[in-house]
Amino acid sequence: MNRTLRGADDLSAAGLLSGTDARALRDVLARYAVAVTADMAELIDPDDPEDPIARQFVPRVEECTVAPQERADPIGDGAHAPVPGIVHRYPDRVLLKPLHICPVYCRFCFRREMVGPDGLGTLTDSELEGAVAYIARDPRIWEVVLTGGDPFALSARRLGLIAERLSAIDHVRVMRIHTRVPVVKPDLVGDALVQGLKSFGRAVFVALHANHPREFTPAARAACARLVDAGIPMVSQSVLLRGVNDDAATLEALMRTFVENRIKPYYLHHGDLAPGTGHLRTGLAEGQDLMRALRGRLSGLAQPTYVLDIPGGYGKVPVGPHYLRESEDGTQVTDPNGCEHAYPPKA
Ligand SMILES: *Cc1c(COP(=O)(O)O)cnc(C)c1O
Ligand code: SF4
């Protein structure tokens, strides 16, 4: 069994749909892509209806429930897309989206209306040239962030070609790849892919998306080690998800696992307002409480920044918690145990 599960029949045969209303699920499947790699399916306990790996990948009828504030393009990519495949929101960096295919389809994905076999598709050669030309024309662009879809789902040859085309642009000093492949399909991280990345010839960072410590199988750890050993630094990104990692112990274990695998925790994303994802989203105050707990119990090396992508395309910002408060007596600073202290201290 090394095949990716797709569609209701596959999921049923794997015992992952017990107790699910098949009719209601049909609407979900008609709307959103489904894929669970063998590596992830093996981690799921079919007897646990709330399994944290299943919650991320197995479709649920709750996805039919779309709240009024949820939107197809929750972070406003569309408003900043000058040419196909490019999102340019911040002056010094762009997103380059060469494809909209992923090895898994996460139920909470903020691009769930754009990814999948019926999504925005893969850039043609001429669209890719157009995107590269856009980057070449704007000397402010210092970093290119490859995302999608999952760029590691491209062939090593195509990825190498993109790296080479970018290396010809002098002002592009950094290439960053956002991917879930090293955990969900670690076998794809082979020598050819690593060499393709290295053909950029400058700084390459890989940002790994993982949400639960159990995702770090021995094969996943080995895939991350292949990248880091090749001189490619890694950072993490995770999404705060109800029933997956919304407790301090799980988040702590996740962040420690990243660091133990030489991956610097970078972002913990607040759940975006993607359609039909309310059952997976927490409140901002809960996220702040969790971050406060992490500050008290976890090495500084393992602290992520908790960020919100402001709906409408206004950008990502840290959303606390905040440790400073202005009072009548001057500035108050909260310590890791929750006690306030005047700053500067009273003489
Ligand atoms: C998230 C994002 C980036 C990268 O942001 P960093 O804060 O540098 O990680 C760049 N462009 C767009 C449009 C984004 O949404
Ligand atoms: S791998 Fe990334 S882009 Fe693909 S479905 Fe998951 S969150 Fe979305």
Side-chain angles (χ1 to χ4, degrees):
M1 180 180 116
N2 201 17
R3 202 166 60 81
T4 293
L5 309 176
R6 299 177 195 277
D9 291 347
D10 287 354
L11 295 170
S12 250
L16 299 180
L17 289 186
S18 57
T20 304
D21 175 353
R23 258 188 86 92
L25 203 60
R26 225 180 294 156
D27 293 340
V28 173
L29 299 184
R31 188 150 172 200
Y32 303 114
V34 172
V36 189
T37 55
D39 300 82
M40 290 298 102
E42 270 170 30
L43 292 180
I44 298 174
D45 172 2
D47 296 326
D48 177 3
E50 300 305 329
D51 182 278
I53 308 298
R55 272 182 84 78
Q56 295 184 65
F57 303 118
V58 178
R60 290 169 75 113
V61 293
E62 287 100 312
E63 294 173 43
C64 295
T65 310
V66 178
Q69 72 272 22
E70 293 176 342
R71 4 181 136 188
D73 180 12
I75 68 168
D77 279 357
H80 300 275
V83 297
I86 294 281
V87 181
H88 195 181
R89 181 185 296 149
Y90 308 106
D92 75 328
R93 56 210 191 276
V94 293
L95 304 185
L96 171 57
K97 302 190 288 181
L99 82 173
H100 288 84
I101 296 297
C102 304
V104 286
Y105 290 105
C106 310
R107 307 326 294 167
F108 51 86
C109 178
F110 70 97
R111 295 207 182 99
R112 59 188 327 209
E113 304 271 350
M114 303 162 215
V115 296
D118 304 322
L120 294 186
T122 297
L123 288 189
T124 63
D125 287 342
S126 70
E127 284 170 335
L128 180 62
E129 291 311 319
V132 169
Y134 176 87
I135 295 166
R137 273 199 303 277
D138 188 343
R140 297 175 307 165
I141 300 172
W142 171 82
E143 180 183 23
V144 175
V145 180
L146 264 63
T147 178
D150 197 316
F152 279 7
L154 291 168
S155 69
R157 202 152 140 249
R158 184 95 181 146
L159 199 57
L161 173 87
I162 293 172
E164 265 171 46
R165 301 290 284 110
L166 294 176
S167 76
I169 306 171
D170 213 42
H171 55 260
V172 175
R173 309 308 297 171
V174 179
M175 185 170 92
R176 183 193 334 167
I177 297 98
H178 280 240
T179 180
R180 215 156 168 19
V181 161
V183 290
V184 302
K185 209 170 181 189
D187 292 352
L188 290 183
V189 184
D191 279 347
L193 183 138
V194 172
Q195 288 317 311
L197 296 178
K198 300 282 285 185
S199 68
F200 179 59
R202 297 176 202 138
V204 178
F205 280 71
V206 167
L208 174 69
H209 173 184
N211 302 316
H212 193 280
R214 220 203 281 163
E215 293 169 38
F216 283 83
T217 60
R221 289 168 194 262
C224 294
R226 287 196 287 280
L227 290 163
V228 179
D229 287 344
I232 298 171
M234 292 180 74
V235 298
S236 79
Q237 58 166 351
S238 307
V239 182
L240 180 58
L241 294 167
R242 182 173 300 289
V244 175
N245 57 19
D246 63 336
D247 62 278
T250 302
L251 275 184
E252 177 185 344
L254 176 63
M255 297 304 150
R256 288 195 197 282
T257 305
F258 281 132
V259 174
E260 288 167 15
N261 285 279
R262 297 177 287 169
I263 301 166
K264 171 71 187 85
Y266 179 51
Y267 279 162
L268 176 65
H269 293 270
H270 185 71
D272 290 307
L273 291 169
T277 61
H279 59 293
L280 290 166
R281 208 158 42 241
T282 68
L284 278 169
E286 288 171 82
Q288 292 179 328
D289 285 346
L290 288 165
M291 288 300 294
R292 226 176 262 119
L294 290 188
R295 178 55 62 183
R297 59 203 273 175
L298 190 56
S299 161
L301 205 50
Q303 301 284 341
T305 303
Y306 180 38
V307 292
L308 172 70
D309 218 313
I310 306 170
Y314 300 104
K316 279 193 251 326
V317 288
V319 283
H322 310 289
Y323 292 90
L324 290 184
R325 184 175 70 84
E326 294 306 322
S327 74
E328 284 169 13
D329 299 336
T331 303
Q332 305 292 321
V333 192
T334 305
D335 72 24
N337 298 316
C339 302
E340 283 199 328
H341 308 272
Y343 184 86
K346 294 268 181 293

